[in-house]
Amino acid sequence: MSLQQIASSLAKFPELALLDFHSLTLFIRYASLAKEEIEFSIPNRELCPLSLPTKILRVLASALGECDTRLIEICWSAFGELVWTQPEIAATDEEILAFNDAALLHQTSFRHLFPPVRSCQSPICVNHRDDKSIMTLKEPLTHRATLFTVKHGALPIYTTSFYCRACHIRYYHDYHVHKQSSLRTYYGGVPDVVQVAQHFFVESALLELFTNNMVFGWLSGTNCARIYNEALSSPHAHIVNNKTAFTAIYQDTRHFTPDDWTVTRFIRKEDTMNGFFLYSLLLHKAEHNGILVLPHDEASQRDRLQPALAERNSAMEGTGQECYAHACDLCFHIVENEHGQLTKLQAAGCDGNTIGHRSCKVHDCKNPLPNLRHHFCEQHGHLRLKCAVVDCSADHAAGHRTCDRTEHRALETAYFKRGNAMFQLCSRLKKAGVSVPNNSVSGLDTSREGEDEEVVFEMGPGGPVELDPDECEGKPETGNRRMRAIFGGRWTHNEQLIMRPCGVILSRATLFGSEAVSAVHAFAKATFPTPESTPEFFIFDNNCKLDAHQRAIGDEHFKNTGKPVDVFHFQCKHKLTDLHCQRYCNPAAFPEMIGPDGKWRFNTSICEQTNVWFGGFIAVVRDMEATRYNFFLDEMIKRRNRYIVAELERKGHFPWNVPMSSLFPSSD
């Protein structure tokens, strides 16, 4: 705004002389904050309105401390065109507080959310307009909400939807719903703000922060919510959290949310997780030029997301990861063979990690649980009456989890006497080399009693003694009898990963009952389903048994793939007397794996190294329902792969993608 414009306006509207320059500047800035509300009240947003709606006049007058709206009308007549044409302003904290003090009383707010469209989107509707500036939608519905942001923290806002009377479609901020349909259709792309619950919206930038906290910090939804509420929900969190150190200014610090606002300013753990899943689905659809469609009338956001999560999970199985065709000079080599021909050498590694989700207590049952409170699937529900001791066919006694047999009851007594329901989880975390709890304030969670999976007790002279189930395979050296029992639920046995030696993960699979080589074989075939996709080397710490299994069943799918054991495991865990292992799986039997410099071409220990990262999610996913569990881990892998590829590029390892037509040639 030039001085000439100000002088011209003063000459035309002498009443403006009552305002000082600061008040005039505030009027322009406050009016800019109300611009979108004004746009949705006029037929054509390209044209600056000659007058303001009564509600906006009152908001601006109150924000400026004026009792009469007449002066606001004059200001708009003088400077409305300037407000209409200037770019969006960055409001200060003080301006947001002052504006909202006035606006919230009139059902509007800073960052009031509206649909991204102004006319019906059906091309055949009479209310459709090619000109996006024209307003044809009617019947606004407005309600309170909270918007969680990165910069301003938690904001009290209003959100408004509009209705097309001809098509019977209501348009919301993120999606639209037909009156006679039970489907919620999103607009396409990824909005700047995502609605995660009826009264809660989260900026995409904040959801991106949560996602990266999960990928690189192993943070659960609970811990993401807690960090946000403590450090980011208030614009002056450092003062609020340290009131003694900031005594002089603490009393002047305010939250943006007034005390009488009926929607909480604290983000909940379910909002962080629902936001993560919805944001990831929107990204996935945008990356594949698709539109997200969800059920509208579900009882909860969790139920609403399930079908789309399951669909993406199916697409990820086997070859679905976006970096599946990855290659770089750490995992793909071109060498000259003994015939002088150029040939490729590409390797993949496989290993398991004791991450799991809740599953049916029947060994290796893959049926889903009705919900996480159940221990059996619907098919095996009748077994819930059985004694908790494995292989005992008797029913449990009333008020107990074991039958009336004395030694079974002694086992139950010993189990609950130890009083530490996290014993098994802590053991697994220790084995994985990580210790990242799902809840950073673990003392607040006392609901875990009796929720271990399988436990092992040795029956000695002094009574039952609990053992680590992962370290007591085979017969006991003491001669004492061992008994296994499941007092709580069962979790799947492990997750298998197949990856390139550079660290890019190609595929993931859940093994339910055990790490059987038959299951690993099926997983490998799903990951490399064609002869062209099979690697020259498949590195697995139990390759000797895997190779023997493939030979025994006569499966030649991997006949051109060498199966060395990684160097560390071969030296430490494979016997010299195992002739099959020495003949077919000794890494020294594959001279192609050694480069001209005498060093291994491939990092054969990459799986062990990657498992340090992957194992960090044990506590995070332990109580996730299976569909969410699978989606979460696939998304974590996808995000980490992108980071790995970027690092490979930065370090000069030239990542690229093998053409899919080469891996999956057409049968035509």
Side-chain angles (χ1 to χ4, degrees), residues 388-591:
V389 176
V390 176
D391 297 330
C392 178
S393 60
D395 288 350
H396 65 74
H400 294 275
R401 300 190 188 184
T402 55
C403 62
D404 290 328
R405 292 180 60 179
T406 302
E407 57 185 0
H408 292 186
R409 188 60 52 79
L411 190 154
E412 179 179 357
T413 301
Y415 172 78
F416 284 103
K417 186 177 180 179
R418 65 177 172 70
N420 180 12
M422 298 300 285
F423 176 85
Q424 190 84 6
L425 176 57
C426 293
S427 174
R428 283 191 167 195
L429 286 171
K430 183 178 179 181
K431 291 178 186 299
V434 295
S435 182
V436 184
N438 178 50
N439 189 334
S440 57
V441 187
S442 56
L444 299 179
D445 185 4
T446 59
S447 62
R448 310 297 303 171
E449 188 63 38
E451 283 300 312
D452 289 301
E453 44 190 306
E454 188 174 78
V455 293
V456 179
F457 283 84
E458 187 168 287
M459 308 305 292
V465 177
E466 185 171 4
L467 306 176
D468 187 334
D470 293 328
E471 296 180 358
C472 58
E473 296 296 333
K475 296 182 179 180
E477 296 179 359
T478 60
N480 295 327
R481 190 160 58 91
R482 290 173 179 169
M483 288 192 296
R484 295 178 179 269
I486 305 176
F487 289 101
R490 181 190 285 274
W491 278 257
T492 54
H493 187 271
N494 74 90
E495 291 296 314
Q496 288 286 324
L497 300 179
I498 291 179
M499 65 197 73
R500 296 297 183 192
C502 59
V504 170
I505 299 172
L506 304 185
S507 188
R508 178 195 61 84
T510 302
L511 302 193
F512 279 73
S514 64
E515 194 174 8
V517 291
S518 58
V520 174
H521 170 66
F523 173 41
K525 285 190 70 172
T527 304
F528 306 110
T530 64
E532 292 80 6
S533 64
T534 57
E536 280 64 43
F537 302 103
F538 186 75
I539 304 161
F540 178 48
D541 59 12
N542 202 15
N543 253 339
C544 45
K545 291 184 179 179
L546 176 63
D547 183 75
H549 169 76
Q550 292 171 344
R551 293 174 186 272
I553 64 174
D555 192 325
E556 296 185 344
H557 185 76
F558 291 99
K559 64 181 180 180
N560 295 320
T561 297
K563 303 179 188 70
V565 174
D566 76 85
V567 178
F568 172 79
H569 281 90
F570 187 81
Q571 292 175 340
C572 300
K573 299 186 178 182
H574 290 256
K575 298 178 181 179
L576 292 174
T577 55
D578 187 338
L579 297 182
H580 184 98
C581 180
Q582 294 295 330
R583 180 178 180 182
Y584 296 111
C585 302
N586 188 332
F590 302 93

Side-chain angles (χ1 to χ4, degrees), residues 38 116 290 340 362 437 459 473 485 643:
I38 301 169
V362 174
M459 308 305 292
E473 296 296 333
Y643 173 79

Side-chain angles (χ1 to χ4, degrees), residues 124-162:
I124 61 174
C125 178
V126 295
N127 288 327
H128 176 74
R129 299 290 185 275
D130 291 330
D131 186 347
K132 299 182 184 301
S133 301
I134 304 301
M135 182 71 177
T136 63
L137 302 178
K138 306 293 183 181
E139 299 182 29
L141 292 178
T142 300
H143 70 264
R144 291 182 174 190
T146 294
L147 170 61
F148 300 103
T149 73
V150 175
K151 181 178 180 181
H152 298 298
L155 292 172
I157 64 164
Y158 281 94
T159 178
T160 299
S161 63
F162 288 88

